[in-house]
Every structure is written in C-alpha cells, then in structure tokens.
Amino acid sequence: MQSVGSETDLTSVESIEQELTLLVRRAQKVHLRGGPTEQVVERAAYGILAWLHDTGPLRSSELAAHFHLDASTISRQVAALEQAGLVTREPDADDRRALRLRLTEHGRGVLTTTRAERRGVVRELLRSWSPEDLARFASLLAAFNAGLDEHLTGDPHTAEGGQR
Amino acid sequence: MQSVGSETDLTSVESIEQELTLLVRRAQKVHLRGGPTEQVVERAAYGILAWLHDTGPLRSSELAAHFHLDASTISRQVAALEQAGLVTREPDADDRRALRLRLTEHGRGVLTTTRAERRGVVRELLRSWSPEDLARFASLLAAFNAGLDEHLTGDPHTAEGGQR
DNA sequence: CCAACTGATTGCATGTACCAACCATAACGG
DNA sequence: CCGTTATGGTTGGTACATGCAATCAGTTGG
C-alpha cells in the first residue's frame, strides 16, 4: 500500500477501480421491469433491443462483437426476444446461413417505454448535478467505454498490469 | 424521440444511460483471474475481500447492506471464500447467532495481488488521460455511486422517472 | 416460558455467460 | 464437381450470481 505508487496518478486510478467495482455490482439492480404493458425486458435484452434500434438490422455475430459476448449467449437472448415478439429473424439474402435481426413494431414500442423508464431513473439520480458535470460525466464515460472496447478487442490480456 | 426532452439536460442523461448500460455489460469481462499464484478470485468475491480489508471484520448482514444484495447471496460467497481459506468466520461474542468475517493472512495476500492487477488494467486503460480528467472521473463516479446507493437504500421505486 | 424478532443458511428458480460439439451454408482448391 | 476448410448459428452442459421462501438458532420482551 506504500510502494505501489509509480506510474500515473495512482490515487485517482485506485479510486476509479474501486468505484467501478461497486458500480458494476450495484447498477445491475436498476433493472427496470414492468411498464404500462407489464412487459419485462431483461437487462441483457434491453441492450440488444437498443442497439438494434439505433443501428438497424444486424446479424447475431455483429451483436456479439459489439457486446464482446459469446455467440451462444446472443443466440439464446435473441431467441427469447423473438419468442416475445420483439424482434424478427429474417433470412439474409446474401448468405443463407445468416439471419438479419430486426425490431418489430412491438419491439420498438417496448424499447421506447423501457428506455424512457431507465432514463427517468438516471435523470432522477442526477437531478442535482450541474449541466457541466453531466456533460463531463457523459463524455468521460464514453471515453472509458471506448478504451475498454479497445482493450477487449485488441488484446486478450497483453495489458501487463505491472507486478510479476 | 422528439417530445421526450423536457426536464434536465436530456442529451447528457441519455448518453449517460447508454454508456452505463454498455459499461455494466462489458466491465464484467475484466474479470481478472489467475495471478502469480493462479489464485482465482471470483468477481463477486473480490468486492467482499476488498471491503473486508478496508473496513475490518464485518458481519454478513453488513456486507449485504453495503452491496445491496440478499443475505443468501453473501452467505454463499463467504462460504466459498472461507472454503478457499481467504476469510475466517469467527463467532461473535456479543451475539451468538452472528459471525464476524475476517480476512486471513492469505486472503490479504490474494487481495493485494488481485487488486494490483485490476488497478494495473485500469491504469492501462486510462494511460492517456490527463490527471485532471482522471480526478474528475474519479469524483464523478464516486458521486454517482453515492446517488445510486441512496436510491437503492431509500426507496424501492419511488423515484418517478417521469412518463406514465 | 412463549412470542416475536433477527442473523444466517439452505432449497429452489432464473438470468447471464462460456466452451465444446454440432449443423448448414460458403469459399476454395484441385 | 467434390472434398476441405471456414463461417454463421444453435444446442448441450456447466458455472456463477442473485433473489425469494423456508428453516434453524439464538435474542428480547412480556
């Protein structure tokens, strides 16, 4: 706890690591189910729905790449989504092995509702923040995510934390 | 997508909600297993180890409250930790139903190693950030966590995001 | 001493995720 | 044209994380 400080702004890094650990653990509770329709959108499904909505029809493999998840995980979640009538799996003309996933009208509606609820909670949580802090937090978060994405994409574990 | 903007800095809030969703999903991959000793500390266990280390002997119930998790979840994780020889469960003198959880020497060592690895990854991820951004991110993250904690503690779902 | 409460564990169900095995279609190279 | 290998997806099996309900043990207050 004394000889570790060496490279960067250690104190902030330590703090960030700590807060992130807690955040990831606790944020999962802000699950947001129900809605007017009592539709339940699983936490995982929400992300898929949102990404599909924001970027148009995609293949499973593209979703897997985006979330850095195994194809099988996506496959099951998409199956559930289709089961619930939120997305359709239409065969891809270019490649008959592939499927294009597309939001249904219903899916779009459910996403809109769920998203509004989640944003509501976030807005409520950040009620007292200044616009500058909000903007800063948004952009730092985005930057962090971008770095994380890169980290997960590029190297499996080349990072070399340090000690060894 | 047009009539939603009303209360606060909607754009930042939207962005934060989005990034948070992605972060929570992806951050779990930065799992960090193995170490020199090839000790594997589960994601969930790490948080317990760290909190125990930083705040001294605690009861299960106190851990549960800190993480906002069910007592049963903590119970199982602690059992695993004890199994692995990382913590001890000693009877509490004041109340013979309760147990005081304490890190073992081994537990302390494993925590130190694992924590160093995780901090290493975070440091690596934030390598190019300015000290100011690091400090800002740390404090915004802490503030967000505090708000989240409050949200989870106080009301189950009194928040009232808005639409309904 | 009994009732109500509280700390913790256990049984059961669900969600999320990985890996390995598999099936179908594609893309190549004879 | 076929094999062979590669790619898109699904399914089986497994592990971990978590919650709720039931249970047990010890505490507290009539």
Side-chain angles (χ1 to χ4, degrees), chain A residues 36-55:
Chain A
T37 30
E38 203 26 86
Q39 257 298 147
V40 176
V41 179
E42 295 304 332
R43 191 162 39 79
Y46 172 73
I48 293 178
L49 241 37
W51 190 241
L52 230 35
H53 175 267
D54 296 350
T55 67

Side-chain angles (χ1 to χ4, degrees), chain B residues 25 29 59 61 72 75-76 89 97-99:
Chain B
R25 194 84 175 265
K29 289 205 97 79
R59 295 182 178 177
S61 53
S72 64
S75 176
R76 287 175 232 274
R89 276 195 287 200
R97 287 167 304 184
L99 299 165

Side-chain angles (χ1 to χ4, degrees), chain A residues 8-158:
Chain A
T8 5
D9 193 295
L10 235 296
T11 304
S12 288
V13 169
E14 288 177 15
S15 165
I16 290 169
E17 185 268 330
Q18 183 104 15
E19 300 295 341
L20 242 24
T21 302
L22 207 54
L23 175 65
V24 170
R25 195 84 173 268
R26 302 213 273 221
Q28 313 199 39
K29 289 204 97 80
V30 184
H31 200 173
L32 271 305
R33 39 184 65 245
T37 30
E38 203 26 86
Q39 257 298 147
V40 176
V41 179
E42 295 304 332
R43 191 162 39 79
Y46 172 73
I48 293 178
L49 241 37
W51 190 241
L52 230 35
H53 175 267
D54 296 350
T55 67
L58 294 174
R59 295 181 178 178
S60 293
S61 54
E62 296 174 298
L63 283 175
H66 176 65
F67 293 111
H68 296 284
L69 291 176
D70 192 83
S72 63
T73 300
I74 295 293
S75 176
R76 287 178 232 272
Q77 286 169 2
V78 166
L81 246 22
E82 190 191 26
Q83 195 68 20
L86 303 177
V87 308
T88 54
R89 276 194 288 198
E90 27 190 88
D92 188 321
D94 300 343
D95 186 338
R96 276 188 311 178
R97 289 167 302 183
L99 300 164
R100 290 208 96 65
L101 307 171
R102 184 191 303 279
L103 276 193
T104 60
E105 261 321 304
H106 184 212
R108 209 181 319 280
V110 169
L111 170 65
T112 301
T113 302
T114 307
R115 188 175 250 181
E117 283 187 67
R118 293 178 59 115
R119 285 177 177 169
V121 171
V122 172
R123 194 182 307 120
E124 177 62 21
L125 241 38
L126 301 173
R127 201 183 357 150
S128 61
W129 289 35
S130 70
E132 299 80 53
D133 279 351
L134 284 178
R136 265 200 281 270
F137 193 46
S139 90
L140 292 172
L141 225 33
F144 186 79
N145 268 341
L148 191 54
D149 185 41
E150 214 180 298
H151 176 76
L152 293 173
T153 301
D155 55 287
H157 45 235
T158 315

